[in-house]
Amino acid sequence: KDLGQGTADVAQYNRYCHFVAGLVGEGLSRLFASSELERSALAGELHLSDQMGLFLQKTNIIRDYLEDYVDGRAFWPQSIWKKYSAGGDLGYFANPATEEAKKAGLCCLNDLVTDALELAPDCLAYLSKLRCAEVFRFCAIPQVMAIATLDRCYHNADVFTGVVKYGRACRASSSTTQSTCGGCTG
């Protein structure tokens, strides 16, 4: 399928994210449960597991707009970006000719960030079900970094001219945070 101009709509966007990341979330939940690091009920939390993956994937798609577009692939749903692109092309946002075009790009970006953030409550619900500190950190750190990335992307024209990422120091400080509650317990 040609994804040079993105997915057709939000349903197709969600479906794509489900297959590339949501299924990973489901598999990890089953693995955590079967290894007895987490309660067996976690294996049945398919919706929440899927949402964890979708949240991460949507964040990456938003952040990587330019890199993906230059490489001839795009995932932003046309039903969203076409509301803002006067040129009818996803590349419209990378080369805004007017201040109006720049504002339209930011509105589109904000729409997509808001769509991704709608998954945050389900991610928090999933995290609240975890009992093992190591599993919690394994799951929570990427979610926290995704929220920070979306914060950085929101209303940020740099998304259209390069990739917006956090530096090593920020990633290192978030990944070395230690729990005082110990390790895995049943």
Side-chain angles (χ1 to χ4, degrees):
K1 183 165 194 128
D2 178 16
L3 288 175
Q5 289 294 307
T7 56
D9 54 31
V10 174
Q12 190 182 56
Y13 179 51
N14 288 342
R15 182 173 167 81
Y16 170 80
C17 291
H18 165 74
F19 281 111
V20 300
L23 291 175
V24 173
E26 291 177 19
L28 285 170
S29 292
R30 289 183 182 112
L31 181 65
F32 299 149
S34 68
S35 68
E36 298 181 357
L37 291 172
E38 292 295 340
R39 295 178 185 156
S40 60
L42 190 66
E45 293 290 349
L46 299 181
H47 174 74
L48 295 179
S49 302
D50 183 64
Q51 301 298 82
M52 292 279 286
L54 265 68
F55 186 64
L56 297 176
Q57 188 63 31
K58 285 184 175 190
T59 300
N60 291 342
I61 287 169
I62 292 165
R63 181 199 64 208
D64 297 341
Y65 160 82
L66 185 62
E67 180 183 338
D68 287 342
Y69 186 75
V70 167
D71 288 345
R73 64 181 181 269
F75 307 98
W76 287 19
Q78 292 178 25
S79 61
I80 292 180
W81 69 257
K82 282 188 174 181
K83 293 188 295 187
Y84 304 101
S85 174
D89 183 84
L90 187 54
Y92 175 79
F93 306 118
N95 300 304
T98 65
E99 191 61 31
E100 182 180 310
K102 183 178 178 181
K103 287 180 184 177
L106 292 173
C107 287
C108 178
L109 176 62
N110 296 346
D111 200 338
L112 288 162
V113 169
T114 301
D115 171 72
L117 285 170
E118 288 177 6
L119 301 169
D122 282 342
C123 295
L124 294 173
Y126 180 89
L127 292 171
S128 75
K129 294 178 180 297
L130 301 177
R131 301 293 175 248
C132 173
E134 287 84 1
V135 171
F136 180 84
R137 280 194 298 274
F138 177 83
C139 295
I141 290 171
Q143 299 297 327
V144 169
M145 293 307 297
I147 289 170
T149 298
L150 291 173
D151 172 61
R152 192 139 188 200
C153 287
Y154 191 86
H155 212 74
N156 185 348
D158 290 345
V159 170
F160 302 114
T161 59
V163 176
V164 176
K165 291 188 179 182
Y166 275 92
R168 286 189 186 135
C170 179
R171 287 193 309 269
S173 69
S174 68
S175 65
T176 58
T177 303
Q178 295 298 312
S179 169
T180 59
C181 297
C184 295
T185 58

